[in-house]
């Protein structure tokens, strides 16, 4: 139905070593930042914290770096900017995306994404780049940023992964797809067995069809294929918990470029957008 011309996309995850000297990278990008005594973090006025070296448990709130395969001379950097003075949330902060020249370490483009590092009961667990082959138009490549969140509850668990796509057009870095839910699970339970659970995964593919010109060409449509499953576990007559899966479902969505961004289907849109 989708045709053989669709190019399947799969995540390419960031390697921890891609940052190199993370502290030097931060200092280059933020020359006014003050380094901590142990050299693992920086502070921007008035009270924004940047962590350059972190333990596994703090990983979502430290630098994330990935060499961009589509432009191997460039390094993609996500910098969580955390408000160290907040008291109402677990974390409050933004992400600034940097496109860095790998040879000179000079920041070529940057884009601030407000609020993406703010969490509370639903906590941020992972931030990573996705650098599949997002060839949106001639000479226009995009990369993705995935943010995984979770609420660890026995009776109402939740996980979700959001994807945003960013394109480099000329000297400008901009959002072309904002807040697409690409994975999730959740449900309600009595805490021991009985309940209702659901999960979904979304895969993306580049379509041959194009809309809204980029010079003499258009941007390719993106196809999103959602596969979902449900389960209604319950105890049997012996008190053993038994799974009762529902019929798997599949839905296909087509996302067209509107001249500025791709329109995200309502069913796959991040809450609040």
């Amino acid at each position: 139905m989708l045709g053989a011309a669709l190019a399947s996309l799969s995540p390419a995850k960031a390697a921890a070593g891609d940052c190199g000297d993370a502290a030097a990278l931060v200092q280059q990008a933020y020359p006014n930042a003050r380094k901590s005594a142990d050299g693992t973090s920086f502070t921007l006025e008035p009270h924004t914290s940047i962590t350059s070296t972190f333990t596994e448990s703090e990983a979502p709130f430290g630098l994330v770096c990935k060499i961009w395969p589509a432009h191997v001379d460039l390094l993609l950097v996500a910098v969580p900017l955390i408000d160290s003075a907040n008291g109402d949330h677990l974390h409050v902060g933004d992400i600034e995306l940097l496109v860095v020249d790998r040879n000179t370490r000079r920041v070529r483009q940057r884009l601030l994404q407000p609020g993406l590092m703010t969490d509370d009961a639903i906590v941020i667990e992972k931030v990573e780049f996705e650098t599949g082959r997002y060839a949106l138009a001639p000479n226009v490549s995009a990369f993705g940023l995935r943010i995984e969140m979770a609420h660890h509850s026995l009776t109402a668990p939740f996980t979700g992964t959001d994807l945003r796509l960013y394109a480099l057009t000329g000297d400008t870095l901009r959002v072309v797809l904002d807040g697409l839910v690409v994975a999730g699970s959740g449900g309600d339970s009595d805490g021991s067995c009985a309940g209702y659970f659901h999960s979904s995964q979304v895969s993306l593919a580049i379509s041959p069809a194009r809309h809204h010109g980029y010079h003499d060409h258009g941007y390719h449509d993106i196809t999103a294929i959602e596969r979902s499953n449900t389960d209604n576990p319950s105890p049997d007559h012996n008190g053993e918990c038994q799974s009762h899966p529902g019929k798997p479902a599949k839905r296909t969505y087509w996302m067209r470029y509107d001249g500025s961004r791709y329109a995200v289907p309502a069913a796959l849109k991040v809450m609040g957008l």
Side-chain angles (χ1 to χ4, degrees), residues 65 72 95 112 209 224 236:
C65 305
V72 294
I95 283 183
L112 183 66
D236 62 17

Side-chain angles (χ1 to χ4, degrees), residues 34-48:
R34 302 192 313 274
K35 186 187 291 188
S36 64
D38 61 5
T40 62
S41 64
F42 293 80
T43 301
L44 291 171
E45 294 294 346
H47 41 67
T48 298

